[in-house]
Amino acid sequence: MPESQSDIPRLEIQYARSTQKWIDGSDKIQIIEVFVNNVGSSFITQKDSVRIQVHSPGLKIVTEGIIKRLGPGDQATLENKKGGPISRGPATVTISEHKIISAPYSFNSSYGIHPYEANYESIYSHESPNWYNNAKFGIFIHWGAYSVPGWGDSGSKENYAEWYWWSLNTANDPTNTSGYHLDKYGPNVVYDDFIQNFTVDAFSPKEWVDLFSDAGARNCPTLPRNISPICTGPYTTHFLNGSTQTKKYGFGQWPGENATNPFTNKTLPYTGYVPLTDFIDDKMLPEMNILADMGTEMMWCDIGGPNKTAEFASSWFNRAMIQGRQVALNARCGLPGDFDTPEYAQYNGVQRQKWESSAGMDPYSYGFNRATPLASYMNASAIVTTLVDIVSKNGNFLLDIGPTANGTILDIEQQHLREAVTKYFYLDKFTKGSS
């Protein structure tokens, strides 16, 4: 009896596009993405041997896209790898399996990896590389002089403990950081006095790395602003050259003058002040280039604001390309970037743009907060369910820990990280290149 038309698998090629990505370790063999929908009522499985091919004159298919499993109503993003010179031209996508009902899809393609220019359109064509897309689970670290007082209050009043100095200088601060500071340290202790107590004497890099590896983490970005005791003090944080730079670059909401003791109103000296003619040209841009020249693979900026990110990124992307490296830029450097970075938040649906949600194991603080009850820390079940939800929507999960001033990661955090893998045995596999 002939097979019913309704039982025959049906696939629809929704969209295809060239990318600026290439196969790692190759001579810039380009990746072309194809978005395929299962519009039928049958499951597609690996036994169906469905292959997606991109055809274009003068170009060679290096690797086909293969659908391993696709349920009715679901979409798959597949990659074809193509070799050839930089050019533009028509291309056609076909589905090879004759038992599948489908139609070819034609599009205008750009072939070859183009160098980047210092403008919005060119930088926006850059996207997160596959090594980052496959690093579903990462560890964030917030560790600095603020870890000495370690205060962000608790419950509905809790706020980021790493904002301790900011909270001290904020009127009507809900965390009552000023009250805590006066009771604990008195009015004559200022933020930079905490630096001498940032001892790190229990810090063991190997133990940290072993813990993160055991937890299945695949990346560990660090923010110098948030991990260095020197970069977080009042003398070096408020580095703008007086009101001139504040007005020039529109940093009106950020302090631009000498730091002041919030209790005595006494002006504090700049212990690390360096005179600047121009904040962006003389400080921001050179520091970003220093990080890039160190072999940085991910530039994780914070806040954004006035910048020369287009100039920086085009140069960095091109240098990395020559070196055969694919790098990533987040969305907080002043341009859209390769991936968005919501904090303590998750999207309701699948996002086309890659994204990375960060959250602390603490209910609402990245830095260590001694006011947080141990029972409130994110447990293994919450880690796994949050990860699965984020990854299912094209995101990565960046889970933060806040070590104490001596470099200790709380036992409760270590326990929950390891339990997430041992109790949920599939998590480690899930974080290795799944989609």
Side-chain angles (χ1 to χ4, degrees), residues 77-134:
T77 302
L78 298 112
E79 295 181 348
N80 268 249
K81 283 76 173 184
K82 304 283 288 186
I86 293 179
S87 62
R88 297 187 65 86
T92 302
V93 184
T94 61
I95 296 177
S96 64
E97 174 52 49
H98 69 279
K99 294 181 180 179
I100 303 291
I101 295 178
S102 65
Y105 177 91
S106 298
F107 69 106
N108 290 319
S109 184
S110 175
Y111 302 116
I113 309 300
H114 298 256
Y116 293 92
E117 300 175 2
N119 59 62
Y120 178 94
E121 291 74 15
S122 181
I123 300 305
Y124 195 62
S125 71
H126 191 271
E127 53 195 300
S128 55
N130 282 358
W131 65 258
Y132 172 79
N133 296 340
N134 293 332

Side-chain angles (χ1 to χ4, degrees), residues 119-367:
N119 59 62
Y120 178 94
E121 291 74 15
S122 181
I123 300 305
Y124 195 62
S125 71
H126 191 271
E127 53 195 300
S128 55
N130 282 358
W131 65 258
Y132 172 79
N133 296 340
N134 293 332
K136 312 295 186 184
F137 183 45
I139 297 294
F140 217 6
I141 303 170
H142 281 64
W143 189 38
Y146 49 78
S147 304
V148 176
W151 177 262
D153 217 327
S154 60
S156 62
K157 294 182 178 180
E158 184 178 9
N159 202 352
Y160 297 166
E162 65 274 17
W163 285 11
Y164 190 88
W165 172 251
W166 177 266
S167 298
L168 277 183
N169 288 272
T170 302
N172 301 317
D173 171 55
T175 64
N176 192 30
T177 298
S178 294
Y180 173 81
H181 188 95
L182 280 174
D183 292 342
K184 182 76 173 178
Y185 305 106
N188 295 316
V189 172
V190 295
Y191 185 88
D192 275 22
D193 292 331
F194 293 135
I195 293 175
Q196 62 185 335
N197 299 114
F198 186 70
T199 62
V200 306
D201 55 347
F203 173 50
S204 171
K206 184 179 184 304
E207 289 182 5
W208 282 24
V209 172
D210 287 347
L211 172 64
F212 304 156
S213 178
D214 290 347
R218 298 290 169 255
N219 70 87
C220 184
T222 54
L223 278 70
R225 179 181 65 84
N226 289 329
I227 63 168
S228 167
I230 305 303
C231 294
T232 56
Y235 312 147
T236 51
T237 299
H238 303 161
F239 44 67
L240 300 185
N241 188 4
S243 60
T244 301
Q245 296 289 296
T246 302
K247 293 177 180 177
K248 178 178 179 180
Y249 289 117
F251 287 113
Q253 63 173 316
W254 303 103
E257 305 294 340
N258 284 34
T260 302
N261 183 320
F263 304 108
T264 66
N265 206 34
K266 179 181 178 182
T267 297
L268 304 174
Y270 276 102
T271 56
Y273 175 70
V274 177
L276 301 174
T277 300
D278 186 277
F279 167 65
I280 292 179
D281 287 335
D282 297 344
K283 182 174 179 63
M284 180 186 289
L285 192 56
E287 288 184 350
M288 293 177 78
N289 279 315
I290 288 172
L291 290 172
D293 291 341
M294 291 170 61
T296 297
E297 294 179 303
M298 181 193 302
M299 193 68 67
W300 213 107
C301 304
D302 202 1
I303 298 174
N307 63 85
K308 287 193 174 180
T309 299
E311 291 84 348
F312 162 76
S314 59
S315 175
W316 180 41
F317 293 164
N318 289 334
R319 296 199 308 271
M321 187 190 309
I322 292 172
Q323 298 165 356
R325 298 188 301 119
Q326 300 188 74
V327 296
L329 180 78
N330 80 344
R332 300 189 183 192
C333 297
L335 290 177
D338 302 329
F339 58 96
D340 297 324
T341 55
E343 296 182 7
Y344 279 90
Q346 294 159 230
Y347 293 123
N348 292 325
V350 177
Q351 303 296 301
R352 178 67 71 196
Q353 165 93 344
K354 188 67 182 179
W355 61 289
E356 176 182 75
S357 178
S358 65
M361 294 186 72
D362 184 290
Y364 198 66
S365 179
Y366 290 93

Side-chain angles (χ1 to χ4, degrees), residues 25-92:
S26 72
D27 186 19
K28 307 296 186 300
I29 294 176
Q30 184 184 18
I31 293 173
I32 296 178
E33 286 189 343
V34 180
F35 302 88
V36 179
N37 299 320
N38 185 342
V39 295
S41 58
S42 301
F43 265 89
I44 303 294
T45 64
Q46 193 164 1
K47 69 178 183 180
D48 293 310
S49 301
V50 177
R51 286 172 165 75
I52 312 298
Q53 298 179 341
V54 179
H55 307 275
S56 185
L59 296 179
K60 176 185 177 183
I61 297 177
V62 178
T63 304
E64 301 172 317
I66 300 175
I67 296 179
K68 296 181 179 179
R69 181 178 176 85
L70 189 64
D74 290 344
Q75 182 183 81
T77 302
L78 298 112
E79 295 181 348
N80 268 249
K81 283 76 173 184
K82 304 283 288 186
I86 293 179
S87 62
R88 297 187 65 86
T92 302

